[in-house]
Each structure stands twice: as C-alpha cells, then as structure tokens.
Amino acid sequence: MESFQIRQAILNVCLDTQELTRQVANAIVQIAHKAIELNGQFVISLSGGKTPKSLYALLAQEEFAQQVCWEKVHLFWGDERCVPRDHVDSNYGMVFDALICQVRIPGENIHAPSRQADNPRESAIDYQDQLRQFFTLKENDLPAFDLVLLGLGLDGHTASIFPGEEAICQSKELVTAVYVEKFDAYRLTLTLPVINNARNVFFLVEGKDKAQILCQVLQGTTARYPAQMVAPKGHLVWWLDGQAAAQLDLKLMSPLVSRS
Ligand code: 6PG
C-alpha cells in the first residue's frame, strides 16, 4: 500500500481489492478499539452499494470478528433505498447477509431506517428521530459518528447525495428523503453536515470504472460533485485499489511513509 496526502485527506492506494479490503478492515478494527476504549462504544455509519460487501464479509470472518466487541458496536446506515428490507436493492439486506447474521451483535444495536417504502418522508423523520434519540441530541446538535463509510458513484454522488441535490448539503435536517430521477426511486440519506461531523470518514473506491470520476473528484479543476463536499472535522481517508487510482497523477501528491 502507498499512502499520500492530498489537501486534508489521506490517500491509501492498495494493490488490489483483496489488499484494500484487508487494510480497511484492519483500520476499522483499530478505530473500534479506540472508540470503545474512550467512549464504551463504536458507532459506525455503513455505506451501501456493491463495493463494501466484501469488506463486511471479511469483518464477519473469525480473523476479524474475534477482534471486535460486537455488543459495543452500533450500526447505522449512511443511506438506504426506500424498498423493503428483503428487496435485492436494500442496503440493510446487503449488510444483514454479509455481516449481521454472522456476528453476535445485539438486535438493539442495529439502527436501520424503517421500512416504510411507501412513505419516504415518514421514514426520513423516523430515522432522524432514531439518531436524535441515540445521540441524545438537542435541537441544533449533530450526531458524531466514530466512522462514516462512503462510496463514490460514477456521477460523483456519495451516500445518496446526488449532483443537483446540493440542497441536502445545507440542510438543517439530519436525514432527508430524496427522489432520484434516474432510478425513479426514493432514497434516504444522511445529510452532509452529519457526514462532516464524523470523527473519521472513509471513502472506499475500487475498480477501473471509477478511475475517471475519482480523478475528477480528487484532481479535477471544478468542484461540482457531492463527494467533493465531504470535508469532515475529523480524518478523511480515501481507500483505493490500483485500478481506481490508475488515472490519478500521484506525483502531484505528497507521499507519506506508509507502514506497509
Ligand atoms: C448506495 C450507496 C452509494 C454507493 C455508490 C457506489 O446506496 O448505493 O450508498 O452512495 O456507495 O453509489 O456504489 P457501488 O459500490 O455499488 O459502486
């Protein structure tokens, strides 16, 4: 793995998907240990889509699962499609199959958006109430996740903050329901202020089909993508495989001495 600094972010460029998944799993375990030591719990917001599935499956394997005190881990979702939980597009369903059903995490630690697929706005309010209750938030407070996992869409979206939906970025809400025209479907998403209030944010980007958008997001001359608006108070780390990083001009970045 090679590590670089670009603006306020760290880029970790791994050889391939396998190294990427293992490196991220190790990093998550380390953050979990520190959070549990400091606060008695580890609160993570999970990303959806295809990329993180192998990560969740690896975390469920004995090699990693035994390193985590699951009864002190709380799972939230950064975004969810407004579909029933057993729907093939459900991010909850994907995480349940890859991770939740494999580890001994208490049911009360699973904080998934409700399944009111036919009433996205109600679901958003309900999920927002779950956040307010769990983090015991006062009116204008923001939840502080120990870690928010994010992916990058081919159009530069992240979570379910899509280009043209920048209103979500200034939202006073913690969660909003957004109609995504190209999918003709509603989604729920954490808003940008919540994401940017996290102690750690990890982007996971892999595969050659993400190389171009990643280069535009990280080294493009225009700031036009929601993923570029992620600038957390805490640490921002881009975890990449070699294929996704292929179009980046790494010479423009400051190399960091990496431990592996
Ligand atoms: C979702 C995600 C979304 C995802 C990107 C990348 O619900 O789809 O949260 O933001 O991370 O679209 O998706 P892939 O990993 O499938 O390429």
Side-chain angles (χ1 to χ4, degrees), residues 17 20-22 24-25 28 46-61 77 81 87-102 149-151 204-206:
T17 301
L20 172 64
T21 312
R22 291 192 65 81
V24 176
I28 290 174
L46 301 169
S47 61
K50 294 184 290 294
T51 302
K53 197 167 180 178
S54 53
L55 167 65
Y56 300 147
L58 183 60
L59 286 170
Q61 286 184 17
W77 276 252
R81 293 83 180 274
H87 190 284
V88 65
D89 287 345
S90 166
N91 285 336
Y92 167 84
M94 180 270 286
V95 176
F96 182 86
D97 292 343
L99 176 63
I100 294 170
C101 68
Q102 311 280 343
L149 293 182
L150 294 174
L204 267 65
V205 187
E206 67 179 37

Side-chain angles (χ1 to χ4, degrees), residues 47-52 79 81 91 151-153 157-159 187 210:
S47 61
K50 294 184 290 294
T51 302
D79 68 322
R81 293 83 180 274
N91 285 336
L152 176 66
H157 82 262
T158 193
R187 292 193 174 186
K210 298 286 177 73

